[in-house]
Amino acid sequence: AANFRLVHSDPSVLKKTRKFSSDSSENEEIVLHGITRLSSREPISALKLLSHYSKHLTFETSELNRTYEKIGLSLARSEADQSHLDSLPIKLRDHPKLVEARIRHSLKTKDWSSVIVLINLLPEKKKDSEQWKYWKARVLALSKDHADREVAQDIYGKLSQNRSFYSFLAADTIGTDYSFNHKTNDVSYDETIRLEQNEPLRRSLELFALGYLGKARQEWYFATSKLEQNERILAANLALRWGWHKASIQTMIQSKSWDSLTERFPVAYKDIFTRHARQLDIPISWSLAVARQESAFMSDAKSSAGARGLMQLMPSTAKIIARSEGIKYSSQNRLLEVDFNIRLGSNYLRWMLDRYDNNRILASAAYNAGPGNVDRWVNKEIAFDVWIETIPFKETRNYVKNILAYSAIYNYLLEQESPFIFPGEKEQFGKRKSKKDSAATNSSSRDV
C-alpha cells in the first residue's frame, strides 16, 4: 500500500526498476498504475519502462494491452515521432480509440497515406460515421488519381445532404448550400391550450412561474415521459410559449425529434441577444449557439467548476470583464440574471474575437478552454479543419464543432424569421468591416 501510494504521487519512482523487480501481483498492479500516470507527462519514458518491466513481471495480457493503448494515446497527443507509435506491441485494429488518435496525429503531420490506412482499420460503424467519411474524402481529394477525386466528390455530395458539422464542411468544400432538413410542426393554439390542462404539466409550469426551476424540471420530465410522440411536440411548443427553452429542448431529445429545429434550437431571449450582439458587432447566431451549448438557456445553470448562468461565466472572469467595461458587479448572484449574463458573455466573446483577429474558430475554442491553451495550440501551417480535428482536449474539440454547427442552424432560423434583418451571418463570422479582417474570418478559408 505504501509503494502504491508512492508511485501514485510520483510515478517517476518506477525508474528505480530494482525496487519493483520482484514478480508479484502487487508489483504488477503498482507498475501498470504508475506507468499509466507517467504516460500523460512522459509517454516515451513510460513506453521504455513498460518494455523493461514486461520482461520481469507477469502481467495479465488484457491489462498490459490497455496500458500500451494509454501510452499510445499520449504519444499521439504529444506529436511523438512515428517510430514510437509503430513500436507499440499491440494490434491496432483491437483499439479503435488509439486508431482515431493516430489518425489525428497523421492529419497534423500531413501524412495523408497513413490517414487512409488507419481509417480502414476502424470498426465498420466508426468507419461509416460522418467524421471519418469526411476525412477519407478530404484525403482522396488531394490524390493525383482522377478516380480518387471522383470518389471524394461523391462522398462530399452525400455528406452535404445531412445536417452536421461535417456535412456543413462538405457543403463548403463543393460549394453547395447547407441542408437543414427542418421539419415544421403544425401545432394549433387550441391543441396547446388543451394540453396545458394536463395536471403534471400544470404543476411544472406553476413551479416554473414561481421560480422553483429545479422542482419544475423534475415535474416536467416526469410528465412528458408519459406523453405520446405528438403530445411531446405540443408540450415543447407549450414550453416555448412560456419562455421555458430548456424544457422544449429536453422534450425534443426525449422524443428523438431531431429535425424539429424550432423546438430544439429556440431563439431564446432574442431581443437581449440582438441588442448586445449589435452593440458589440458579433454574430447573433454565434452568441445564441454559445448559450445553447453552455446551458441550453438555463438561467440558473451552475457547473461543478463554478461557472454560472446562461453563458456559463466563471465569477472571476465576469468580475474582470465588468471592471474593464465599466459594468457594476455587486455579486456573483447577478450572473443568474439573464440580461446581465448575456451582456458579460457577449463582451467576453468580443474580447476573444479581438484577441484572435476576428477568427471565430479560435475565439470559440478560447471561450471553452481559455486563451492560454489556444495560444499554445495555434498553428498557421495547418488547415482550419485539421486544426479543429486535432485540438488536444476532446471536450474543446467537440465544443468547437458544436458551436460552428449550431451557429449555422441559428443563422438559418433567424433568416426564416427575419430575412431582411439577419442576412448572411454565416459568412460574416463576426468580422468588422475592413478588408484585412475578411481573409481571417471567411468560413471557406483553409487557414486557422
Side-chain angles (χ1 to χ4, degrees):
N3 281 343
F4 194 100
R5 183 176 181 179
L6 176 65
V7 168
H8 178 83
S9 61
D10 183 12
S12 64
V13 169
L14 289 176
K15 293 175 182 178
K16 299 173 182 177
T17 54
R18 286 188 180 181
K19 186 175 178 66
F20 305 96
S21 60
S22 174
D23 191 6
S24 66
S25 59
E26 290 85 356
N27 274 346
E28 290 155 17
E29 185 178 351
I30 290 168
V31 166
L32 290 183
H33 177 75
I35 284 176
T36 297
R37 287 180 62 78
L38 181 66
S39 68
S40 63
R41 297 199 308 265
E42 302 177 41
I44 295 173
S45 295
L47 179 60
K48 290 177 181 176
L49 278 173
L50 187 53
S51 177
H52 168 83
Y53 278 113
S54 61
K55 296 172 185 174
H56 302 280
L57 304 179
T58 309
F59 296 114
E60 186 181 328
T61 303
S62 61
E63 292 296 323
L64 182 64
N65 287 344
R66 193 175 295 118
T67 307
Y68 272 122
E69 180 188 39
K70 288 177 179 176
I71 293 171
L73 291 170
S74 295
L75 285 168
R77 280 194 294 268
S78 66
E79 301 177 49
D81 189 87
Q82 185 72 32
S83 61
H84 294 300
L85 286 163
D86 291 337
S87 69
L88 292 167
I90 53 176
K91 292 181 181 178
L92 260 181
R93 198 181 290 273
D94 295 338
H95 301 274
K97 286 184 181 178
L98 180 56
V99 175
E100 290 181 313
R102 289 196 58 171
I103 294 172
R104 293 190 179 93
H105 181 274
S106 296
L107 286 171
K108 204 161 191 177
T109 57
K110 301 182 182 180
D111 185 358
W112 309 121
S113 57
S114 290
V115 171
I116 293 294
V117 171
L118 289 164
I119 288 174
N120 288 328
L121 291 177
L122 289 169
E124 288 302 317
K125 189 174 181 180
K126 279 191 175 289
K127 196 189 303 181
D128 289 338
S129 68
E130 290 186 345
Q131 178 181 16
W132 300 122
K133 278 183 176 178
Y134 171 81
W135 286 110
K136 180 179 180 179
R138 178 82 158 77
V139 173
L140 289 176
L142 299 172
S143 173
K144 295 179 180 179
D145 190 320
H146 179 69
D148 285 344
R149 296 198 300 275
E150 280 194 335
V151 172
Q153 290 299 305
D154 183 57
I155 294 172
Y156 282 143
K158 289 175 181 175
L159 277 179
S160 67
Q161 296 170 26
N162 302 327
R163 180 189 63 247
S164 71
F165 170 72
Y166 292 102
S167 300
F168 297 157
L169 278 182
D172 279 344
T173 302
I174 60 177
T176 62
D177 291 336
Y178 293 172
S179 297
F180 292 98
N181 304 317
H182 177 30
K183 178 184 176 183
T184 304
N185 295 305
D186 189 15
V187 176
S188 73
Y189 175 78
D190 290 340
E191 285 177 311
T192 309
I193 293 301
R194 275 198 299 273
L195 187 66
E196 200 171 17
Q197 303 312 308
N198 175 293
E199 284 294 332
L201 287 181
R202 285 178 67 187
R203 282 196 298 272
S204 63
L205 292 170
E206 280 297 323
L207 288 165
F208 174 72
L210 291 168
Y212 297 112
L213 302 184
K215 294 181 187 297
R217 281 191 287 270
Q218 291 175 359
E219 193 72 56
W220 180 271
Y221 300 152
F222 170 76
T224 53
S225 67
K226 298 180 179 301
L227 298 179
E228 299 294 331
Q229 177 75 0
N230 65 316
E231 291 178 318
R232 285 179 178 171
I233 292 170
L234 288 173
N237 280 271
L238 178 61
L240 287 182
R241 207 165 65 82
W242 278 67
W244 193 0
H245 310 100
K246 167 67 175 177
S248 174
I249 295 166
Q250 188 64 40
T251 305
M252 289 295 96
I253 292 171
Q254 262 183 309
S255 64
K256 298 183 179 179
S257 300
W258 309 121
D259 293 334
S260 300
L261 300 186
T262 302
E263 294 84 2
R264 282 188 62 216
F265 294 90
V267 184
Y269 309 110
K270 182 178 175 181
D271 291 344
I272 301 173
F273 274 107
T274 300
R275 173 161 41 88
H276 293 302
R278 292 304 188 207
Q279 286 173 355
L280 296 163
D281 191 18
I282 62 174
I284 301 154
S285 55
W286 184 38
S287 52
L288 281 166
V290 169
R292 169 65 167 78
Q293 171 68 20
E294 290 286 354
S295 69
F297 301 109
M298 286 170 56
S299 60
D300 64 328
K302 297 177 185 177
S303 77
S304 57
R308 289 173 168 251
L310 214 69
M311 300 185 77
Q312 286 292 277
L313 292 167
M314 293 296 290
S316 56
T317 303
K319 189 177 288 187
I320 293 169
I321 299 167
R323 185 167 60 243
S324 177
E325 298 297 329
I327 300 168
K328 186 178 179 181
Y329 182 89
S330 54
S331 163
Q332 63 182 24
N333 287 332
R334 289 208 65 194
L335 294 176
L336 304 181
E337 298 172 15
V338 172
D339 194 314
F340 189 75
N341 192 282
I342 293 173
R343 184 182 183 185
L344 293 187
S346 299
N347 268 284
Y348 192 56
L349 289 175
R350 181 68 257 172
W351 282 17
M352 293 303 100
L353 277 182
D354 289 340
R355 184 179 183 122
Y356 296 108
D357 197 23
N358 282 320
N359 187 310
R360 196 180 56 157
I361 295 169
L362 299 180
S364 298
Y367 195 94
N368 177 259
N373 282 315
V374 174
D375 289 347
R376 289 194 298 273
W377 298 339
V378 168
N379 182 350
K380 295 182 179 180
E381 302 302 316
I382 60 176
F384 84 89
D385 53 352
V386 174
W387 188 85
I388 294 169
E389 194 65 61
T390 57
I391 291 173
F393 296 171
K394 182 180 178 181
E395 179 193 324
T396 305
R397 190 161 64 236
N398 292 334
Y399 180 92
V400 171
K401 293 175 188 178
N402 282 350
I403 293 299
L404 295 178
Y406 292 178
S407 295
I409 291 169
Y410 271 116
N411 183 68
Y412 164 77
L413 292 172
L414 288 166
E415 285 184 341
Q416 301 307 300
E417 286 187 13
S418 312
F420 301 107
I421 300 176
F422 302 100
E425 280 205 326
K426 180 186 72 177
E427 290 78 24
Q428 289 296 321
F429 266 32
K431 64 187 178 185
R432 300 208 185 249
K433 305 301 183 283
S434 69
K435 291 181 180 179
K436 172 181 177 291
D437 290 332
S438 62
T441 58
N442 190 298
S443 63
S444 300
S445 170
R446 287 287 173 192
D447 292 328
V448 174

